[in-house]
Amino acid sequence: MASRTFVKYSLFAFNILFWLMGTFLLVVGLWSKTEKGNLMDFNSMAVDPATVLLVVGALMFWIGFFGWVGALRENVKFLMVFGVSLVILFLAEAAVGILAFIMKEKVKEVVQVHMYESIKSYRDDSDLRDAVNVAQRTFKCCGVKSFTDWQDNAYFKCCNEGIESCGVPYSCCNITLQVNLFCGVNIMDYKQEEFCTSNQTFVPSSNLKEDYGGGKHIYEDGCLDTMEGWFNKNLYYVGGAALGVAIVQVGGVWLSQSLIHKIKVASAGGYYK
């Protein structure tokens, strides 16, 4: 059986790293929110990366703090809070995973709604813009279901007279060597359709200019189906990562309970069971 000192400092080392990571994410999230001047704006929380950093950072800070202080000071109450928090987190993750599997079509609908919201807010939130660009370049996709979804953004809409009118973000461009920030400008030939005087919502994909078609210049497939395909293709890797996280959490619970037991044994003069 592991010694009390080994368990104590193993738990302490694990949690001090966990707590520092949480502190870093929390600070970055707060800084990002403050820079954007919307620290108390909860209207766009679901599509705001800064909010995600705040929530994840606060959770890691909470759990890590009780873990490392409890281990260092051999405080049974702190260790119990740490262990219970990990158990609740584990059960919540398991519940979310099961519900997501059972209600995957509903989850897809929710994700789709948030992706459309991200397109509309693309120019309004720098963090969101960076997240969208990373996603589109990583998965080699554009828009939600198609590149024409960017017509739902006020800056890229063909009816506008701005420089980005009738275009898509640079992250939609099929460029591997050098990024051209204006590669997606004016790629749709909206003159072929009376788009601005009709009730039509999107410029049809057939209105892509002749030199830009065939996927040679921009990614034409939407990100929703592309990401779903990637997830299904890498399901074993995703499952392995989830299992690894679960093992770490269970290991943390075991270490905390083991240390609690050893502390109580020492407090009882070696006779506690």
Side-chain angles (χ1 to χ4, degrees):
M1 183 177 290
S3 69
R4 176 178 169 181
T5 302
F6 174 79
V7 173
K8 173 181 177 177
Y9 287 106
S10 294
L11 189 60
F12 172 78
F14 168 79
N15 280 285
I16 197 67
L17 290 174
F18 198 72
W19 179 76
L20 288 173
M21 289 173 60
T23 302
F24 174 76
L25 293 179
L26 194 59
V27 169
V28 171
L30 285 170
W31 172 80
S32 181
K33 278 285 190 181
T34 304
E35 282 292 302
K36 291 187 292 185
N38 63 343
L39 185 60
M40 299 306 293
D41 180 15
F42 298 101
N43 293 326
S44 60
M45 284 181 64
V47 293
D48 187 1
T51 302
V52 176
L53 289 177
L54 278 173
V55 173
V56 174
L59 189 62
M60 292 178 66
F61 181 93
W62 166 273
I63 296 175
F65 174 78
F66 279 97
W68 77 262
V69 172
L72 184 64
R73 303 297 299 174
E74 296 190 358
N75 188 304
V76 173
K77 290 183 179 179
F78 271 49
L79 289 171
M80 289 181 67
V81 171
F82 167 74
V84 170
S85 298
L86 274 186
V87 170
I88 293 174
L89 180 62
F90 175 80
L91 293 176
E93 290 170 348
V96 169
I98 293 171
L99 288 175
F101 180 77
I102 296 175
M103 306 173 63
K104 55 184 178 181
E105 289 302 320
K106 180 63 178 178
V107 171
K108 186 176 180 179
E109 290 177 12
V110 172
V111 171
Q112 179 175 307
V113 169
H114 289 316
M115 289 177 75
Y116 277 120
E117 288 297 322
S118 299
I119 285 180
K120 293 179 181 178
S121 305
Y122 178 78
R123 284 298 181 199
D124 303 328
D125 188 326
S126 59
D127 295 327
L128 181 62
R129 181 169 63 248
D130 292 339
V132 170
N133 286 334
V134 168
Q136 291 192 145
R137 290 192 65 80
T138 300
F139 292 97
K140 297 183 178 181
C141 57
C142 186
V144 181
K145 292 186 176 180
S146 168
F147 68 93
T148 58
D149 291 332
W150 282 101
Q151 287 298 294
D152 208 21
N153 181 278
Y155 293 90
F156 296 104
K157 202 173 184 66
C158 281
C159 291
N160 293 337
E161 297 180 356
I163 190 175
E164 294 179 312
S165 174
C166 254
V168 293
Y170 76 90
S171 54
C172 286
C173 297
N174 188 1
I175 298 176
T176 56
L177 297 179
Q178 185 177 0
V179 176
N180 179 359
L181 297 180
F182 297 99
C183 62
V185 172
N186 196 24
I187 63 170
M188 300 181 196
D189 190 1
Y190 69 93
K191 294 179 182 179
Q192 294 179 9
E193 287 281 338
E194 306 232 347
F195 175 72
C196 296
T197 59
S198 69
N199 294 325
Q200 190 172 330
T201 306
F202 299 114
V203 172
S205 58
S206 59
N207 279 30
L208 190 65
K209 288 184 177 179
E210 185 176 351
D211 295 338
Y212 293 89
K216 296 179 180 178
H217 188 82
I218 67 167
Y219 305 123
E220 298 181 27
D221 295 331
C223 292
L224 185 64
D225 290 336
T226 301
M227 289 179 176
E228 183 183 16
W230 178 91
F231 183 85
N232 292 332
K233 183 179 179 180
N234 296 276
L235 191 58
Y236 289 111
Y237 297 105
V238 175
L243 181 62
V245 172
I247 290 174
V248 170
Q249 291 173 339
V250 171
V253 174
W254 177 82
L255 284 173
S256 64
Q257 293 305 305
S258 178
L259 184 55
I260 288 173
H261 175 74
K262 293 178 184 300
I263 292 171
K264 289 183 176 180
V265 167
S267 299
Y271 295 103
Y272 178 80
K273 294 183 179 182

